[in-house]
Every structure is written in C-alpha cells, then in structure tokens.
Amino acid sequence: MPKWEIVFEPRVDLRSRGLLDLIVEVEAFKRSVLKIPLPPKFREKIDKINIIRQIRGTTGIEGNTLDEKRIETVMTEASDQTMSALSIEEREVLNAEKVHRFITEHAKKNASGLITEEMVKTIHALTTDSCDYKN
C-alpha cells in the first residue's frame, strides 16, 4: 500500500522585520493563553461552538446553507433513526459530526497521524452516508 507524505513548507521571508515581530508577538500571546486554566464546563462550551463552526465551514464549502443555529439544533435533536426524515443538508451535518468524532478518536489512538487509504475511504463513507448525491 503506497504511503503519502504531506509536507507543509510555507514560503515566507522571515528576514522581513515587521513579519518576524508579528510572529514573535503571536507566539507570546499563544503561550500566555495556553497557560490559562479553563473550567471544564467552559471548555465544553468552546469545543461545541468550534465543532459547530467546523461543520458549518465544511458543509458550506459544498453548498450547504444551514446556519450555525440550525446545525446545533440538528446535532442535538436528530438521530440516526430519523435520517430518512431529514433534508439532505441536515444529513450532511450529522455525517460531518460523525467524521469529526471518527477523526478525533483516530487521533487519540494513532499518535503518528498517518493517513491511510482505508481512513480516507472510511471518511468518505461517513461523509456520504444516507445522501443520494446525483452523479
């Protein structure tokens, strides 16, 4: 099975004094923020907001028009038993949530971060589950 190596190499000239100063400032803020303890309930709330926004962005790229409030409603009120009663946009939301959970669990179990062909196939199957896309 072929393995793919993905390398991110930004092409930024760090000799530019203004840019370097900004990068140092961002790094200092990041380190400060990471030291702030978050109460569990607040962390859960932030995580939920971020997941909803990720799902909105991911499904929005494909043309899904549901807003964050509707996405939250679908995530909290819909279930697999009601998939056939949901619109395709609502099914896409639930599928994106499944993909998010799958990737989160995969990352916990696989520190290497290796992306395999089987993983891509699983993500594709989760993404398109119960969605009869034409063509």
Side-chain angles (χ1 to χ4, degrees), residues 58-69:
T58 298
T59 59
I61 289 171
E62 300 300 327
N64 191 307
T65 61
L66 298 183
D67 61 19
E68 290 178 15
K69 187 67 179 159

Side-chain angles (χ1 to χ4, degrees), residues 12-106:
V12 178
D13 183 2
L14 293 179
R15 293 172 293 186
S16 168
R17 207 51 217 158
L19 180 59
L20 184 58
D21 290 344
L22 289 174
I23 291 172
V24 169
E25 189 175 346
V26 166
E27 184 63 25
F29 280 127
K30 180 188 91 173
R31 289 176 186 231
S32 297
V33 169
L34 289 175
K35 292 179 184 176
I36 299 172
L38 291 177
K41 289 288 184 191
F42 187 67
R43 180 180 298 275
E44 288 172 21
K45 185 176 181 177
I46 290 173
D47 287 346
K48 183 178 179 181
I49 290 169
N50 283 331
I51 291 167
I52 290 168
R53 288 180 178 169
Q54 289 170 8
I55 290 172
R56 170 67 188 109
T58 298
T59 59
I61 289 171
E62 300 300 327
N64 191 307
T65 61
L66 298 183
D67 61 19
E68 290 178 15
K69 187 67 179 159
R70 182 64 188 144
I71 289 171
E72 181 178 11
T73 301
V74 169
M75 288 172 56
T76 56
E77 295 178 5
S79 67
D80 286 338
Q81 293 85 3
T82 62
M83 283 292 259
S84 61
L86 298 173
S87 72
I88 194 164
E89 288 188 330
E90 292 166 332
R91 285 179 267 162
E92 289 171 345
V93 165
L94 292 180
N95 290 347
E97 183 181 18
K98 288 178 196 174
V99 169
H100 175 81
R101 284 195 308 265
F102 171 78
I103 291 172
T104 300
E105 288 304 311
H106 180 79

